[in-house]
């Protein structure tokens, strides 16, 4: 088998916040503005629905930037640079739209477990409470229908990442999809059947990509409810899954000498953060140490 | 694809409805009876996802709703994951995944019908039939606005049937529904005297006027008779198209200056040229007949009154752009247009005007009619692709544009019905003659959908350049004793103009300069009796209902817009006005598609141009006064 050599990528000249830089053609604006991009100064464009292992869905609109000549703002996570593009990542228009998007999300969804949401709210001066106490929300009781993970859709921002991870892009199980329309749209199995009755194989790949904590390990969910979840007391150790010969990387999150959840490195060239039920949830045996032998 | 099913079984009727569309299942793998053979061979099932929407229609048409067993059976037959099919079924408002009666009355509560007394219809129905939701329900614009207030009854069965009412009073509607009035059956492809539904030309006050171009055959030809169509100039344009060839057709369309009539006003010739040039094949043609912008009914009148013209125009467009297949995507609420077009397509096919060898010219082209199922958003040019492909009708992110990657990822040209039928006069009279009509940058004639408080509502055809005043005069102005309050141009996504602005030229450039839009040709006339606040609330409700839900600014923004308007309708509040502006700006700037981007337009223009909610016009707070 011969591997065709990719033709070298042409460089294009773009202007980002007044600074002229050169980047490879086809780069997204987000990558061009990222830490490994050529721009001086950290742009730190917020993202929610963007996933480093997934095709951009363009749904959350928190990453919008201004491109000269474009009638509307454009999503940095998916728009590719073009020769001569003039981009503003922090103009008044951009800040206004980010502020509003965060307010709209914050007023309809519980963002308490969304990493960085609070920081961004502060940065853009977002005040979700200004829509009043009667603003419609997606509040609902969490769905706890199996022992492995919980679906707390009151925290769901409809980023589509779990659906993409479960479907065509990775898992090919298609247990969940988006149902309904507009504000009523939601993630669902067919006829809202319990997960245990659905096609789900509990790979947890949806949990891996969920940006809000709407999907979480049952362990994490229970510990949060009990008030014992404390990330500052957790360690992360990446090792190799003990179950089969594939050798997937697993990252064990440990608090008080107990594994509390398992993730997988997204930059692994083979698994891209995906695991199967055994690597993801089959950690109990590690902890079944006869009492007295712990530590 | 490895699918997992729960154990819901379809009823015999549901199975029969699906089999009538797809044929009997070949193997047990697709839901057929298990034979010994099946245990020895494994079928490599190929997904036929694009048949999902027709299959859902088949069940909904027969039974009135889609049960879990029916959905599972469809999924087995088409190799589609049940969760995804459920997501698609719940996207469309004409489908139900919970039991409901076979007959459902859809009562329009949209802009025009609201201005003409829809609330009275609903009150009568509620009194006799109970609250909406089961045997009757509220509906967005049914495209029957010249007959407002209007309602559409859809009756499931074998065959399904339908009946339209309009204009109708509450008691008459109740009586008709209790008697389940005679339904129009498949026989009405021609106008039949004494039929319950008025003929298509009843919506064309100018019918028979020799100056008409696009409407000239409405009321003149029998819409069910191909020979009559040919006797009235039909298929002369296609003959000419074959004489001059694809490149010359595109040149003619470019030179004619034709721009799209679907709302975005994009030059048609450029779209065709760009599609024709694409090296990737096949190319597809999609005719956008989803017509769901509130107040729009022009495409319906063409399709009901002159269906062969659309078939001919699509054939020409397909030939020019190198397509062998055209999809005609028509909204599900247009049963009569669907019947007439189905008949026209079949007739054209049987007479060699569609099929493997069109007109003996060695060119293969066919048209497949696809029915929408109640979703305004499916009229957006990329959402229509997803809908045809059997996905949820969510718009795609652009770029890539349809001319590069459209339907099934292939180069696709999407055009509105009215845009396409303009190609006939362009080819017959030549581009210069066409371009001589209208103004420099808006050439040809335009169809306007006149509705509301106007003496002669209906579809009017005028050369571009006529003013709003000309049009209103032609339609007889507001009824005796009333004064004009405002005109909504362009529909829910359009903008209001004041009575002192009637000299706006009805051209793309003229309306743009005046800060409004022609949009899809909606001209909704409101007199001093109209409740503008209610109209705004309805516009907000429309966008909230019709948002696909994909992007945050529109999904949540349309809800917040409606909430703020409801508060404002009860008491003035400058804070809520500021809130509306901020939300509106974010929707316009950050939404994926035109729906979210325009959801604030009409509200903004009502506040800025009409002074609705301004402290200086206390009359805009009727409910405060009433207290
Ligand atoms: C929300 C939305 C709804 C639309 N609905 C329709 C429609 O019902 N019919 C239509 O022809 N165009 C509709 N359009 C415009 C189409 O996106 C597209 O521009 C048009 O079909 C192109 O055809 P034209 O160039 O012939 O106008 C809609 C656009 C948006 C954003
Ligand atoms: S656990 Fe795996 S199979 Fe189950 S829903 Fe999540 S991604 Fe799909
Ligand atoms: S559950 Fe999580 S991953 Fe899925 S759509 Fe909601 S926020 Fe996104
Ligand atoms: S703007 Fe509205 S309709 Fe358009 S993609 Fe976004 S949510 Fe859907
Ligand atoms: S991160 Fe770009 S749209 Fe969501
Ligand atoms: S039919 Fe009621 S508004 Fe159009």
């Amino acid at each position: 088998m011969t591997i065709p050599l990719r033709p070298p990528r042409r460089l294009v000249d773009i202007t980002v916040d007044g600074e002229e830089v050169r980047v490879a053609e086809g780069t997204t604006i987000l990558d061009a503005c990222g830490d490994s991009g050529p721009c001086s100064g950290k742009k730190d464009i917020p993202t929610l629905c963007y996933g480093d292992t997934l095709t951009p869905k363009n749904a959350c609109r928190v990453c919008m930037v201004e491109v000269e000549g474009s009638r509307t703002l454009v999503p940095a996570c998916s728009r590719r640079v073009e020769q001569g593009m003039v981009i503003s990542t922090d103009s008044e228009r951009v800040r206004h739209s980010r502020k509003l998007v965060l307010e709209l999300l914050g007023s309809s969804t519980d963002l308490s477990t969304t990493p960085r949401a609070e920081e961004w709210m502060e940065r853009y001066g977002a005040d979700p409470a200004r829509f009043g106490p009667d603003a419609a929300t997606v509040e609902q009781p969490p769905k706890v229908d199996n022992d492995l993970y919980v679906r707390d859709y009151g925290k769901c921002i409809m980023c589509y990442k779990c659906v993409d991870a479960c479907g065509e892009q990775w898992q090919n199980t298609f247990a969940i999809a988006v149902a309904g329309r507009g504000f009523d749209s939601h993630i669902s199995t067919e006829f809202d059947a319990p997960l245990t009755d659905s096609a789900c194989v509990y790979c947890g790949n949806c949990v891996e990509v969920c940006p809000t904590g709407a999907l979480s390990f049952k362990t994490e969910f229970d510990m949060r409810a009990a008030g014992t979840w404390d990330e500052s007391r957790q360690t992360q150790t990446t090792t190799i899954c003990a179950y089969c010969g594939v050798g997937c990387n697993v990252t064990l999150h440990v608090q008080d000498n107990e594994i509390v959840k398992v993730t997988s490195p997204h930059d692994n060239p083979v698994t891209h953060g995906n695991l199967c039920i055994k690597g993801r949830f089959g950690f109990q045996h590690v902890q079944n140490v006869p009492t007295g032998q712990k530590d | 694809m490895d699918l997992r099913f729960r154990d819901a079984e379809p009823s015999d009727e549901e199975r029969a409805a699906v089999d009538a569309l797809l044929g009997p299942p070949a193997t047990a793998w697709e839901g057929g009876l298990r034979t010994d053979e099946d245990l020895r061979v494994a079928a490599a099932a190929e997904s036929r996802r694009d048949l999902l929407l027709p299959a859902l229609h088949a069940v909904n048409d027969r039974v009135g709703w889609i049960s879990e067993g029916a959905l599972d059976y469809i999924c087995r037959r088409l190799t589609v994951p049940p969760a995804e099919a459920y997501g698609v079924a719940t996207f469309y408002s004409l489908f139900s995944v919970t039991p409901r009666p076979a007959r459902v009355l859809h009562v329009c509560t949209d802009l025009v019908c609201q201005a003409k007394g829809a609330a009275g219809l609903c009150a009568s129905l509620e009194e006799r039939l109970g609250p909406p939701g089961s045997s009757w329900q509220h509906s967005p614009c049914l495209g029957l606005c010249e007959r407002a207030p209007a309602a559409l009854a859809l009756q499931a069965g074998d065959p399904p049937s339908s009946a339209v009412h309009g204009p109708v009073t509450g008691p008459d509607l109740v009586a008709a529904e209790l008697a389940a009035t005679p339904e129009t059956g498949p026989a009405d492809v021609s106008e039949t005297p004494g039929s319950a539904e008025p003929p298509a030309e009843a919506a064309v006050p100018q019918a028979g006027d020799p100056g008409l171009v696009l409407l000239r055959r409405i009321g003149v030809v029998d819409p069910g008779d191909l020979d009559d169509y040919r006797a009235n100039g039909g298929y002369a344009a296609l003959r000419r198209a074959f004489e001059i060839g694809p490149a010359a057709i595109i040149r003619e369309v470019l030179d004619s200056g034709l721009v799209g009539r679907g709302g975005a006003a994009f030059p048609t010739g450029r779209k065709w040229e760009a599609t024709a040039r694409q090296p990737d094949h096949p190319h597809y043609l999609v005719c956008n007949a989803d017509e769901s912008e509130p107040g729009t009914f022009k495409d319906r009148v063409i399709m009901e009154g002159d269906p062969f013209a659309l078939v001919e125009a699509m054939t020409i467009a397909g030939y020019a752009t190198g397509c062998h297949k055209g999809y005609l995507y028509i909204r599900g609420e247009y049963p009569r247009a669907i019947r007439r077009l189905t008949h026209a397509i079949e007739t054209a096919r049987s007479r060699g005007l569609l099929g493997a060898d069109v007109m003996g010219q060695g060119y293969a082209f066919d048209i497949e009619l696809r029915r929408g199922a109640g979703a305004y958003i499916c009229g957006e040019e990329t959402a229509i692709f997803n809908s045809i492909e059997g996905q949820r009708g969510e718009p795609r992110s652009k770029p890539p544009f349809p001319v590069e990657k459209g339907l099934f990822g292939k180069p696709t040209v999407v055009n509105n019905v009215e845009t396409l039928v303009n190609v006939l006069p362009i080819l017959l009279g030549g581009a210069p003659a066409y371009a001589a009509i209208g103004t420099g940058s808006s050439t040809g004639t335009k169809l306007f959908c006149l509705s509301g408080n106007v003496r002669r509502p209906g579809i009017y055809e005028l050369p571009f350049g006529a003013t709003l005043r000309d049009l209103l005069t032609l339609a007889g102005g507001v009824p005796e004793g009333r004064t004009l309050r405002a005109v909504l141009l362009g529909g829910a996504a359009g903008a209001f103009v004041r009575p002192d602005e009637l000299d706006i030229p009805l051209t793309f450039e003229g309306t743009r300069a005046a800060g409004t839009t022609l949009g899809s040709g909606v001209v909704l006339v409101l007199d001093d009796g109209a409740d503008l606040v209610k109209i705004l609330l309805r516009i907000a409700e429309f966008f909230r209902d019709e948002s696909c839900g994909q992007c945050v600014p529109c999904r949540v923004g349309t809800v917040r817009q409606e909430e703020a308007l409801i508060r404002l309708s009860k008491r003035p509040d400058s804070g809520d006005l500021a809130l509306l502006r901020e939300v509106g700006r974010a929707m316009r700037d950050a939404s994926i598609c035109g729906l979210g981007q325009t959801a604030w337009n009409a509200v903004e223009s009502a506040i800025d141009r009409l002074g609705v909610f301004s402290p200086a016009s206390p009359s805009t707070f009727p409910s405060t006064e009433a207290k």
Side-chain angles (χ1 to χ4, degrees):
Chain A
M1 193 179 95
T2 53
I3 297 167
L5 274 180
R6 248 197 273 166
R9 289 214 280 174
R10 212 160 60 94
L11 293 177
V12 294
D13 301 297
I14 61 170
T15 309
V16 183
D17 297 334
E19 178 190 7
E20 286 176 28
V21 294
R22 312 192 81 185
V23 287
E25 193 177 29
T27 312
T28 63
I29 295 176
L30 186 68
D31 285 342
C33 295
D35 289 344
S36 50
C39 300
S40 66
K42 218 165 148 352
K43 304 294 177 202
D44 195 20
I45 297 175
T47 62
L48 282 170
C49 70
Y50 168 78
D52 55 356
T53 60
L54 296 161
T55 309
K57 180 64 191 170
N58 296 299
C60 77
R61 318 304 273 182
V62 79
C63 70
M64 304 302 275
V65 296
E66 192 167 353
V67 168
E68 226 174 77
S70 168
R71 188 170 46 86
T72 59
L73 302 176
V74 308
C77 63
S78 65
R79 182 59 62 83
R80 297 182 187 281
V81 296
E82 285 161 33
Q83 173 63 32
M85 229 181 211
V86 180
I87 302 160
S88 309
T89 66
D90 203 36
S91 64
E92 188 275 330
R93 216 175 146 197
V94 167
R95 295 182 65 92
H96 174 84
S97 133
R98 290 197 191 145
K99 168 181 156 210
L100 262 291
V101 164
L102 289 166
E103 286 179 337
L104 293 172
L105 275 179
S107 63
S108 54
T109 316
D110 171 5
L111 297 182
S112 61
T113 52
T114 304
R116 301 197 66 190
E118 220 180 286
E119 174 198 338
W120 292 331
M121 295 263 191
E122 196 152 320
R123 186 198 295 173
Y124 296 106
D127 171 22
R130 71 188 178 120
F131 297 109
D134 299 330
T137 71
V138 298
E139 193 182 338
Q140 56 191 290
K143 288 186 195 306
V144 189
D145 54 11
N146 67 86
D147 294 336
L148 302 181
Y149 76 99
V150 174
R151 299 176 293 153
D152 187 355
Y153 290 133
K155 293 178 169 178
C156 171
I157 59 163
M158 293 300 293
C159 71
Y160 289 62
K161 277 156 91 170
C162 54
V163 175
D164 286 346
C166 184
E168 213 162 55
Q169 291 187 34
W170 293 118
Q171 185 57 29
N172 275 293
T173 293
F174 302 94
I176 47 176
V178 178
R181 190 170 78 194
F183 195 73
D184 298 329
S185 60
H186 57 282
I187 308 294
S188 181
T189 57
E190 63 273 26
F191 285 84
D192 205 17
L195 216 52
T196 43
D197 236 11
S198 76
C200 178
V201 296
Y202 304 97
C203 62
N205 293 332
C206 51
V207 183
E208 177 78 42
V209 296
C210 180
T212 60
L215 305 180
S216 67
F217 273 59
K218 179 80 165 32
T219 36
E220 173 172 349
F221 181 82
D222 290 343
M223 286 172 76
R224 281 186 188 276
T228 55
W229 181 260
D230 184 357
E231 271 167 33
S232 67
R233 278 163 51 214
Q234 291 172 13
T235 58
Q236 297 183 18
T237 311
T238 300
T239 175
I240 293 176
C241 174
Y243 275 99
C244 78
V246 174
C248 301
N249 281 178
V250 291
T251 301
L252 308 175
H253 298 238
V254 178
Q255 179 178 332
D256 303 333
N257 221 19
E258 296 263 341
I259 299 171
V260 291
K261 77 171 173 185
V262 176
T263 58
S264 176
H266 290 197
D267 58 1
N268 183 299
V270 180
T271 56
H272 303 276
N274 298 293
L275 293 170
C276 77
I277 184 175
K278 289 171 284 198
R280 182 80 64 188
F281 293 108
F283 51 79
Q284 195 54 44
H285 70 287
V286 180
Q287 299 170 171
N288 287 351
V289 184
T291 24
Q293 282 189 25
K294 271 194 178 177
D295 281 294
Chain B
M1 208 184 275
D2 180 22
L3 300 183
R4 185 181 185 279
F5 295 95
R6 305 192 328 137
D7 21 84
E9 284 292 324
S11 70
D12 290 346
E13 218 184 356
E14 290 163 342
R15 190 186 287 272
V18 176
D19 289 352
L21 174 76
L22 303 175
T27 66
W29 298 103
E30 298 170 37
L33 293 179
R34 192 176 287 270
T35 63
D36 285 350
E37 177 91 356
D38 288 318
L39 299 175
R40 270 176 263 122
V41 289
E46 212 170 287
S47 179
R48 288 186 292 163
R49 181 84 187 231
D50 74 299
L51 291 177
L52 180 56
L53 187 53
L56 292 170
H57 265 304
V59 172
N60 198 65
D61 277 353
R62 181 80 63 104
V63 192
W65 69 286
I66 299 156
S67 72
E68 185 163 5
L71 191 85
D72 268 11
Y73 184 60
I74 290 172
C75 289
R76 277 182 209 273
R77 295 296 318 271
L78 300 178
T79 317
V80 173
E84 298 225 332
Y86 179 73
V88 172
T90 52
F91 187 82
Y92 296 99
S93 61
L94 290 184
F95 295 150
S96 171
V97 292
T98 48
R100 64 172 175 186
R103 185 183 178 93
V104 177
L105 180 70
H106 300 259
V107 182
C108 177
T109 51
D110 220 322
L111 299 177
V112 187
C113 293
Q114 188 192 63
K116 306 277 273 185
L121 299 190
C122 293
S124 302
L125 287 167
E126 187 146 5
E127 198 184 300
R128 287 300 302 272
L129 306 175
S134 179
S135 63
W136 73 283
Q137 62 185 53
H138 295 172
S139 167
C141 176
L142 293 166
L144 297 167
C145 324
E146 86 283 7
R147 277 177 255 168
L152 167 71
L154 293 176
Q155 167 109 41
D158 186 17
S161 58
S162 62
V164 300
H165 305 279
V168 66
T169 63
D172 284 354
L173 187 57
V174 169
E177 270 315 286
L178 290 178
T181 45
E183 282 90 29
T184 39
D188 68 341
V189 291
S190 300
E191 305 294 3
T192 33
S195 135
E197 192 174 353
E201 67 263 28
V204 182
Q206 296 164 300
D209 183 334
L212 296 177
V213 181
L214 305 174
L215 298 177
R216 73 185 171 96
R217 273 185 293 257
I218 312 278
V220 174
V221 295
D222 176 350
D225 187 348
L226 176 58
D227 293 321
D228 200 16
Y229 176 69
R230 299 189 79 147
N232 281 281
Y235 279 103
L238 181 59
R239 208 172 308 115
R240 169 134 168 80
F242 281 129
E243 278 161 29
I244 65 178
I249 302 171
I250 292 178
R251 174 87 349 244
E252 287 282 297
V253 175
L254 276 169
D255 292 346
S256 73
L258 176 66
V259 305
R261 307 293 200 238
F266 190 83
T268 307
R270 272 176 44 207
K271 197 185 272 185
W272 289 20
E273 192 179 36
T275 311
R277 248 200 340 249
Q278 294 295 322
D280 193 11
H281 278 276
H283 295 179
Y284 290 106
L285 170 70
V286 174
C287 171
N288 189 341
D290 194 48
E291 189 162 76
S292 307
E293 182 71 46
T296 317
F297 50 103
K298 61 190 176 73
D299 297 344
R300 186 202 91 224
V301 170
I302 294 175
M303 294 187 287
E304 289 184 347
D306 197 8
F308 286 103
L310 183 57
V311 174
E312 182 184 359
M314 282 184 70
T315 313
I316 295 169
Y319 177 59
T321 54
C323 305
H324 296 292
K325 172 116 193 204
Y327 285 87
L328 172 49
Y329 187 93
I330 180 169
R331 67 180 303 199
E333 295 87 341
Y334 277 180
R336 185 161 76 171
I338 290 168
R339 288 190 292 269
R340 291 187 177 175
L341 278 163
T342 306
H343 173 82
I345 292 167
E346 279 165 9
T347 311
R349 195 180 291 134
S350 72
R351 302 273 290 271
L353 296 168
L354 285 176
D357 185 12
V358 176
M359 271 189 168
Q361 298 287 326
Y363 165 61
F365 183 72
D366 216 327
I367 298 176
E368 189 171 331
L369 184 142
R370 284 296 178 93
R371 247 192 309 159
Y376 165 64
I377 191 58
C378 290
E380 198 276 343
E381 59 182 0
T382 56
I384 211 171
F385 304 150
N386 279 339
S387 184
I388 294 172
E389 290 178 21
Q391 309 284 344
R392 291 163 55 81
E394 294 171 353
R396 301 176 182 172
S397 194
K398 291 181 273 191
F401 291 93
V403 294
E404 281 169 50
K405 282 192 191 311
L407 185 61
F408 302 115
K410 297 296 177 184
T412 304
V413 52
V414 193
N415 275 125
N416 170 258
V417 172
E418 182 189 348
T419 313
L420 286 169
V421 294
N422 266 287
V423 171
L424 305 177
I426 290 171
L427 285 189
L428 288 176
Y434 183 92
I437 309 172
T439 65
S441 26
S442 301
T443 59
T445 60
K446 175 79 193 93
L447 300 182
F448 295 99
C449 315
L450 260 282
S451 65
N453 307 127
V454 62
R455 255 180 271 191
R456 285 186 297 279
I459 300 298
Y460 289 83
E461 178 174 6
L462 285 177
F464 276 109
T467 64
L468 184 51
R469 187 185 308 282
D470 297 338
L471 183 60
L472 293 189
T473 309
L474 199 59
V478 294
E480 188 74 53
R482 315 243 56 154
T483 49
L484 183 64
R485 174 72 173 94
V487 179
L488 178 61
L489 285 184
F496 289 96
V497 299
R498 289 186 309 265
D500 61 334
E501 294 176 302
L502 297 187
D503 290 316
I504 293 178
L506 296 172
T507 57
F508 294 109
E509 64 278 12
T511 47
R512 202 177 304 126
T516 172
T517 174
L518 279 189
S520 53
V522 172
V523 181
L524 167 57
V525 183
L526 298 169
D527 67 20
D528 48 354
D531 185 340
L532 284 174
V533 173
K534 269 221 181 105
I535 299 261
L536 294 191
L537 287 175
R538 173 56 210 168
I539 289 175
E541 182 187 23
F542 175 79
F543 284 113
R544 189 256 290 145
D545 271 350
E546 299 297 335
S547 164
C548 81
Q550 198 181 191
C551 66
V552 175
C554 171
R555 180 180 74 234
V556 190
T558 53
V559 173
R560 297 291 176 255
Q561 170 169 281
E562 188 190 21
E563 289 169 350
L565 281 169
I566 291 175
R567 286 194 300 269
L568 277 167
S569 72
K570 297 184 181 136
R571 47 143 188 72
D573 181 343
S574 57
D576 271 331
L577 280 176
L579 198 73
L580 274 178
R581 268 183 218 285
E582 287 193 35
V583 172
R585 182 171 173 218
M587 288 198 286
R588 185 175 290 161
D589 267 354
S591 295
I592 294 181
C593 85
L595 188 148
Q597 289 161 13
T598 61
W600 146 248
N601 286 7
V603 180
E604 181 186 36
S605 79
I607 293 172
D608 290 347
R609 298 171 84 113
L610 303 182
V612 179
F613 299 131
S614 97
S617 87
S619 65
T620 52
F621 294 103
S623 38
T624 349
E625 273 178 10
K627 272 183 210 144

